[in-house]
Amino acid sequence: MSGTPTFAAPPTFLGVAPGADAAVVVAGVPFDIGTTNRSGARFGPSAIRHASRMLIDGEHPAHWTSPVDLPLADVGDFAIALGDIAASLKLIEDQASAYAHLVTLGGDHGITLPLLRACAKRRGPLALIHFDAHVDTWPDNFGQPYAHGSMFYHAINEGVVDARRMIQIGIRSPVQRDVYDWTLGQGVTIVAAQEAHEIGPAAIASRIVEIVGDAPVYLTFDVDALDPAFAPGTGTPEIGGLATWQAQSVIRKLAGLNFVGMDVVEVAPAYDISEITALAGATMAWEYLSLLAAAADTSRSAVRSP
């Protein structure tokens, strides 16, 4: 083992070069004014970047690739409008539109709506893989229509997401029956946390692949999909969630999907213990990037083959 020790890695995600001129770009969005319980996810991007240093000293043990083999750069944090949700969402969408493939570190989950809008402008209606404790299809949260629990209500109604190709994994929070029924009525597939525990990662991954098909697909990972035993550093924790190994195993089994973007949201380091939530968030982004690296490696091998 040689090179820079993990503790001395540059402060970017995975220690990659800062910049914007790459096929895949990492960006932070330090925004959390749409939270309904504990704020603090504005500090998520820096915490995730810092925790990612643990992932730089080798290849992925299942795919035998590394995200740093990708054309990958960290553009830093997007600008937001302090205290203004609507203006911030517009700023996020405008900045995201500059990048063909974005991996975003939040920030509260409300940032996913402008990210989806920007991505859909390039790709058309998107399939969506959504890890979360909450359905996030409320028309509003306590009177706020663009809070962190309403973005998929808008994404479905705006047509940026194809609800028939949307699957939610880990759902378990209290929810009004009409909101839950509306979500199912749009065509969304819900794998509740209890079902996820019962059927296991392989069956979940198989269902995801069946629902998504060959559509362009976006992955959004709310860290509260994980049980608070594994991810205490978040604003709206719910018991009974996924273990980190379960979520990791599902993502590892999604090779071959047409991924077009990803985010990790709701890491709130003020409530974390020994960086375990930030590390979980960083690792889910690393797993996603490793899928992209493995796909790129497969494509190169196919080109070299006679």
Side-chain angles (χ1 to χ4, degrees):
M1 184 181 294
S2 61
T4 304
T6 54
F7 66 83
T12 57
F13 188 74
L14 300 178
V16 300
D21 188 18
V24 183
V25 171
V26 177
V29 182
F31 170 90
D32 67 1
I33 59 174
T35 54
T36 56
N37 190 45
R38 302 190 303 202
S39 61
R42 67 185 63 184
F43 302 111
S46 58
I48 294 169
R49 286 187 175 105
H50 190 255
S52 76
R53 72 194 185 280
M54 285 301 300
L55 303 165
I56 66 171
D57 57 345
E59 295 180 314
H60 192 285
H63 306 307
W64 296 115
T65 58
S66 173
V68 298
D69 295 333
L70 291 168
L72 179 65
D74 189 329
V75 75
D77 286 352
F78 284 175
I80 61 166
L82 183 62
D84 190 328
I85 291 179
S88 290
L89 299 187
K90 181 64 167 62
L91 277 171
I92 294 164
E93 181 181 350
D94 290 346
Q95 292 165 96
S97 296
Y99 305 105
H101 199 129
L102 197 59
V103 174
T104 309
L105 314 175
D108 78 43
H109 213 160
I111 69 169
T112 302
L113 179 59
L115 296 173
L116 290 171
R117 287 170 172 166
C119 192
K121 287 177 182 177
R122 291 176 176 268
R123 310 282 187 168
L126 304 168
L128 184 67
I129 302 167
H130 173 207
F131 286 85
D132 207 318
H134 312 89
V135 291
D136 288 346
T137 52
W138 284 271
D140 65 80
N141 289 152
F142 307 106
Q144 172 50 254
Y146 290 99
H148 72 158
S150 59
M151 58 282 175
F152 299 126
Y153 173 82
H154 298 295
I156 291 170
N157 282 333
E158 293 175 16
V160 298
V161 165
D162 180 351
R164 297 165 301 174
R165 291 192 169 186
M166 175 176 173
I167 181 168
Q168 302 180 313
I169 303 105
I171 305 302
R172 62 191 185 278
S173 77
V175 59
Q176 293 78 11
R177 183 62 182 267
D178 62 323
V179 172
Y180 196 89
D181 288 345
W182 181 88
T183 307
L184 293 174
Q186 303 306 302
V188 177
T189 298
I190 298 176
V191 180
Q194 186 63 44
E195 182 183 2
H197 294 313
E198 291 169 357
I199 67 175
I204 296 169
S206 178
R207 194 175 301 181
I208 290 171
V209 171
E210 178 184 358
I211 289 166
V212 168
D214 60 359
V217 58
Y218 188 97
L219 172 62
T220 181
F221 195 98
D222 186 329
V223 79
D224 70 29
L226 303 173
D227 190 88
F230 302 93
T234 192
T236 49
E238 308 280 357
I239 69 162
L242 303 179
T244 46
W245 74 264
Q246 291 173 305
Q248 187 177 39
S249 181
V250 172
I251 294 173
R252 288 184 177 186
K253 292 175 172 60
L254 300 181
L257 294 183
N258 182 20
F259 284 112
V260 295
M262 188 252 190
D263 62 58
V264 177
V265 294
E266 299 289 354
V267 172
Y271 315 108
D272 206 358
I273 299 169
S274 298
E275 293 187 310
I276 63 172
T277 311
L279 179 59
T283 303
M284 300 309 160
W286 175 77
E287 290 286 354
Y288 174 83
L289 288 166
S290 296
L291 287 176
L292 299 186
D297 188 54
T298 299
S299 297
R300 287 191 295 269
S301 297
V303 169
R304 289 194 296 266
S305 299

